[in-house]
Amino acid sequence: MMGDEAAAPTGPRNRELYALLNLSPEASDEEIRRAYRQWAQVYHPDKSPSPLMKEVAEENFKRICEAYEILSDETKRLIYDLYGMEGLTSGLELGPRLSKAEEIKEELQRIKRREEEAKKMAHFMPTGSIVFNLSMPSFLDGDGIMRGMVMASQVQSQLSKDDAIAIAGNLAANQRSGGGIGTAILRRQLSPVSSIEFVASTGLQSLIGMQTTRQLSIHSTATINISKSLSDGSINLTNTWTRQLSETSSGNIELALGMRSGITVGWKKRDENVSAGGDLKIETGGLGASARYTRKLSSKSHGRIVGRIGSNALEIEVGGGRKISEFSTVRMMYTIGLKGIFWKLELHRGGQKLIVPVLLSAYISPVFATGAFVVPTSLYFLLKKFVVKPYMQKREKRKALENMEKTYGQVREARASAEKAQQLLQTVATRKKNRQAETGGLIITKALYGDAKAIEKRHEHLEEEVDSGVIDVTVPMNFLVSDSGELKLHEGVKKSGIMGFCDPCPDQPKQLYVAYTYNSRTFEAIVGDYEELVLPQAGQ
């Protein structure tokens, strides 16, 4: 018995056409022509006297011809192997100059970049944040809970391939005063490695400025910013150098000259599971340092810790967040420092943020500080276990049922098409089977393809219905037996694409079970969806 692999349904991409003709991805031109002739003879519409079966034959014959047209053309086959049908339908220009894989890859990437740029030009890209500052001590004193509010918003639009404009606004208010700033930014891409921005602001901080960025090398970028305040006439100059230190980390140095001259050194790292960073700032008014670390705890949750220390700051934040939908994340942080003890609630959705810092106490009491951390943490885990988790499980179960209902119709339709394709193979398959019987050759007595768990329970009563997750493929397997009494299914090619097969259990691990006789002896074999099958096996 061969491997009983039941791994997740993953495997090489862009192999459907090879499966359709039962070819190896390394098949020669002659093997492709031979396979095409074999399948075309069976599915040619003129060989189907029944009008109903003729329609089925025409559909399958068209698929065979399309597969042959692509695989028999060297350039089209190369594009298909690299990018699948997407590469062939994306407008890729074919011709003598695209003779190498690198050239084809470069051309397809150019087309994708052009499509992405077109999408950007067609949409505005809004970002923004709202911060509500709440105070429990003020509320208890009867002065109201709201201490202030800050709103920031920006809308960016692509004017052309190289030009973009952004309009931004900031509004801030507290119990006694308020104000705002309006900003307009015009950005132009001068070349693939350089860009320039013109900035104008009005309001509390009216200024005009210019910023230019240039990529110095594949790992280094430099930015120069100069601005002039329209209120006091001061000029500020900032130079920033950024360097890629590794695939996941980078560092930067910023030098500022002006009203608040200083130097800042920063570092950040980001990979699949960890995001971290820190900076050290020395300026005329003092110095400060900060560090932050975020770790992915699961596919939907993360933990976060932030620390700040300096001339007028000393605080630490601890908390975590959870992804509640594809675009939305909630986070809660506990902060303790010189300014007091805070809870901070955050909602992130797309480019929008809602942040609510709540001041619990302006004075640091060990007992109160411990309670402010333990109580919400305990409440979170209790809610997660007894409310959130049961609700999420119920929702996932409902989605699974909805998906099952949806795929039920698709599987039923695919099974019907496979059974019709098998009917057209029946005559040739029976002829081959009888010929093998005369010589004691290879005869497939039973072949089942589908859900790995159902295959393992094949000796139990198994009805071939949609719910069973398997399909009988005895007929196409007998058809694939060669005149010399051999059968081969190629490695790396998903078996659901073979003529007369279908996928009876989408998104589930699949296996192929084969019972066969050879030289009047009975054998069995089981292989995974992408495993090679060669019958008869060595030594038989």
Side-chain angles (χ1 to χ4, degrees):
M1 184 175 291
M2 298 185 70
D4 54 354
E5 174 188 338
T10 59
R13 299 175 56 198
N14 312 328
R15 296 290 184 263
E16 293 84 356
L17 299 185
Y18 292 101
L20 188 65
L21 300 180
N22 191 33
L23 287 168
S24 165
E26 290 76 35
S28 65
D29 292 343
E30 178 57 34
E31 289 173 328
I32 293 173
R33 283 192 292 270
R34 188 163 58 244
Y36 167 70
R37 286 195 295 267
Q38 179 190 26
W39 291 104
Q41 287 175 0
V42 176
Y43 286 104
H44 197 287
D46 294 342
K47 293 184 177 290
S48 303
S50 168
L52 180 61
M53 297 309 297
K54 186 171 184 177
E55 183 178 341
V56 176
E58 286 177 350
E59 179 182 347
N60 288 295
F61 185 71
K62 182 179 179 182
R63 293 173 60 202
I64 292 167
C65 291
E66 181 184 25
Y68 176 69
E69 178 187 356
I70 293 170
L71 298 182
S72 62
D73 185 291
E74 182 180 358
T75 304
K76 289 183 179 180
R77 182 179 178 182
L78 183 56
I79 296 173
Y80 175 75
D81 287 345
L82 287 170
Y83 300 105
M85 295 303 294
E86 178 190 1
L88 294 166
T89 58
S90 64
L92 190 63
E93 299 172 8
L94 303 175
R97 70 184 185 86
L98 297 180
S99 57
K100 298 180 181 178
E102 293 79 7
E103 295 173 345
I104 294 173
K105 185 176 181 180
E106 182 180 351
E107 181 73 3
L108 185 60
Q109 288 176 344
R110 181 185 66 81
I111 292 171
K112 286 186 174 181
R113 284 197 301 268
R114 188 172 61 198
E115 292 176 349
E116 290 173 359
E117 288 169 357
K119 289 180 181 179
K120 288 180 180 179
M121 291 174 61
H123 296 86
F124 287 95
M125 290 172 281
T127 59
S129 64
I130 300 176
V131 179
F132 292 103
N133 290 301
L134 308 182
S135 172
M136 290 303 296
S138 297
F139 176 73
L140 296 175
D141 290 341
D143 296 331
I145 195 171
M146 180 73 74
R147 293 196 306 162
M149 181 179 69
V150 179
M151 298 177 63
S153 181
Q154 177 175 300
V155 177
Q156 179 176 311
S157 177
Q158 200 77 21
L159 301 178
S160 67
K161 178 182 177 181
D162 298 320
D163 299 313
I165 188 172
I167 305 296
N170 293 66
L171 291 174
N174 56 36
Q175 295 175 334
R176 297 179 178 83
S177 62
I181 303 172
T183 304
I185 304 171
L186 177 62
R187 182 180 299 110
R188 180 171 180 80
Q189 193 73 28
L190 301 176
S191 71
V193 296
S194 63
S195 64
I196 189 170
E197 294 182 6
F198 298 94
V199 182
S201 296
T202 183
L204 289 178
Q205 296 180 356
S206 299
L207 58 83
I208 55 174
M210 181 182 71
Q211 175 176 294
T212 180
T213 300
R214 182 173 181 83
Q215 185 175 343
L216 304 178
S217 68
I218 191 172
H219 298 298
S220 302
T221 304
T223 300
I224 299 177
N225 180 294
I226 184 170
S227 61
K228 180 178 180 179
S229 173
L230 299 181
S231 56
D232 58 18
S234 61
I235 296 178
N236 295 278
L237 177 65
T238 303
N239 290 347
T240 305
W241 296 270
T242 303
R243 181 170 179 81
Q244 194 76 25
L245 303 176
S246 68
E247 291 184 359
T248 60
S249 63
S250 63
N252 67 276
I253 299 176
E254 180 182 289
L255 176 63
L257 301 174
M259 293 290 291
R260 298 192 67 177
S261 299
I263 184 170
T264 303
V265 180
W267 168 86
K268 60 182 178 181
K269 172 185 173 67
R270 186 181 185 89
D271 58 28
E272 186 177 353
N273 296 315
V274 173
S275 174
D279 57 70
L280 174 65
K281 186 172 186 178
I282 303 173
E283 58 183 7
T284 53
L287 59 85
S290 66
R292 54 200 175 277
Y293 179 84
T294 304
R295 183 170 185 84
K296 190 175 181 181
L297 303 177
S298 68
S299 60
K300 294 185 178 180
S301 62
H302 66 271
R304 181 175 174 85
I305 182 170
V306 180
R308 302 180 186 89
I309 186 172
S311 303
N312 54 2
L314 177 61
E315 66 181 25
I316 185 170
E317 289 186 2
V318 181
R322 185 172 182 85
K323 190 174 183 179
I324 57 175
S325 70
E326 184 178 358
F327 302 105
S328 301
T329 300
V330 293
R331 180 187 292 166
M332 180 172 181
M333 303 294 292
Y334 168 80
T335 306
I336 182 171
L338 296 179
K339 296 181 180 179
I341 301 172
F342 291 83
W343 285 343
K344 185 163 68 173
L345 310 175
E346 301 180 13
L347 171 63
H348 298 244
R349 180 171 176 81
Q352 310 296 323
K353 292 187 291 185
L354 174 63
I355 303 174
V356 184
V358 181
L359 175 63
L360 302 178
S361 174
Y363 306 98
I364 300 177
S365 165
V367 175
F368 186 85
T370 303
F373 176 76
V374 172
V375 171
T377 304
S378 303
L379 184 61
Y380 166 77
F381 283 108
L382 288 172
L383 288 174
K384 179 182 177 182
K385 183 175 181 179
F386 296 107
V387 179
V388 177
K389 195 171 182 178
Y391 169 76
M392 296 300 294
Q393 290 176 340
K394 184 177 179 181
R395 191 174 74 166
E396 288 175 2
K397 185 177 181 180
R398 185 172 63 251
K399 285 185 177 181
L401 290 173
E402 292 175 355
N403 186 55
M404 187 180 297
E405 292 175 358
K406 181 180 178 181
T407 57
Y408 182 88
Q410 296 173 345
V411 170
R412 184 172 55 185
E413 184 177 338
R415 186 186 291 272
S417 298
E419 290 172 350
K420 290 177 182 178
Q422 289 187 20
Q423 292 179 32
L424 294 172
L425 295 174
Q426 183 69 63
T427 302
V428 178
T430 302
R431 188 188 309 138
K432 287 189 174 185
K433 182 178 178 180
N434 293 335
R435 191 179 304 155
Q436 293 296 319
E438 294 173 359
T439 61
L442 178 63
I443 299 176
I444 309 300
T445 57
K446 189 69 173 179
L448 298 173
Y449 172 71
D451 183 71
K453 294 181 180 178
I455 295 293
E456 291 174 359
K457 300 177 181 179
R458 61 189 177 279
H459 297 299
E460 301 177 9
H461 180 64
L462 186 63
E463 305 237 350
E464 196 189 335
E465 301 292 339
V466 176
D467 293 338
S468 70
V470 298
I471 181 173
D472 190 312
V473 291
T474 307
V475 172
M477 289 293 285
N478 273 307
F479 175 84
L480 292 173
V481 175
S482 66
D483 294 337
S484 60
E486 296 179 345
L487 184 149
K488 183 174 183 179
L489 302 183
H490 301 282
E491 182 179 5
V493 178
K494 192 175 182 180
K495 295 172 178 58
S496 60
I498 300 173
M499 277 292 188
F501 283 58
C502 72
D503 189 344
C505 51
D507 301 324
Q508 297 297 321
K510 284 172 278 290
Q511 291 181 335
L512 172 65
Y513 162 76
V514 184
Y516 62 99
T517 61
Y518 183 70
N519 287 334
S520 301
R521 296 173 60 193
T522 301
F523 303 94
E524 290 183 332
I526 295 179
V527 292
D529 204 9
Y530 292 92
E531 286 186 323
E532 180 183 66
L533 173 67
V534 178
L535 300 179
Q537 299 178 30
Q540 295 178 352

